Amino acid sequence: CNRENFDFLGLFRIRNAISQMRKGIEPDNYIDPRSLTNREQSLLREALVMVSRLQNITGKHFRYYLG
């Protein structure tokens, strides 16, 4: 399920960037959760939880090896 969460997050970022470019706005990585359906909000929340977990694991790994 981790891969699906990251794919989903990437899809939202790309969809948002395309929308911004069509409006003449420089794309950024901000996704306004209010613009999403309830299901999309839930999926985004799950994806961000997985990102947070990965950051924690990575941080612990490097602290251990860099001591």
Side-chain angles (χ1 to χ4, degrees):
C1 196
N2 294 346
R3 176 65 187 197
E4 292 172 6
N5 289 329
F6 287 113
D7 289 346
F8 181 78
L9 186 56
L11 175 66
F12 271 125
R13 291 176 62 207
I14 291 169
R15 188 175 77 177
N16 186 57
I18 290 170
S19 174
Q20 289 175 322
M21 287 187 286
R22 286 183 176 157
K23 295 175 184 175
I25 301 169
E26 183 158 346
D28 58 28
N29 290 322
Y30 177 73
I31 299 171
D32 184 357
R34 296 171 296 185
S35 69
L36 306 175
T37 66
N38 288 341
R39 174 76 176 135
E40 290 170 333
Q41 288 177 8
S42 178
L43 291 170
L44 178 59
R45 189 177 304 111
E46 288 177 31
L48 293 175
V49 165
M50 293 308 300
V51 167
S52 178
R53 289 180 184 163
L54 181 61
Q55 287 175 330
N56 287 334
I57 291 168
T58 303
K60 289 176 185 177
H61 174 79
F62 282 105
R63 278 193 296 278
Y64 175 79
Y65 285 104
L66 297 176

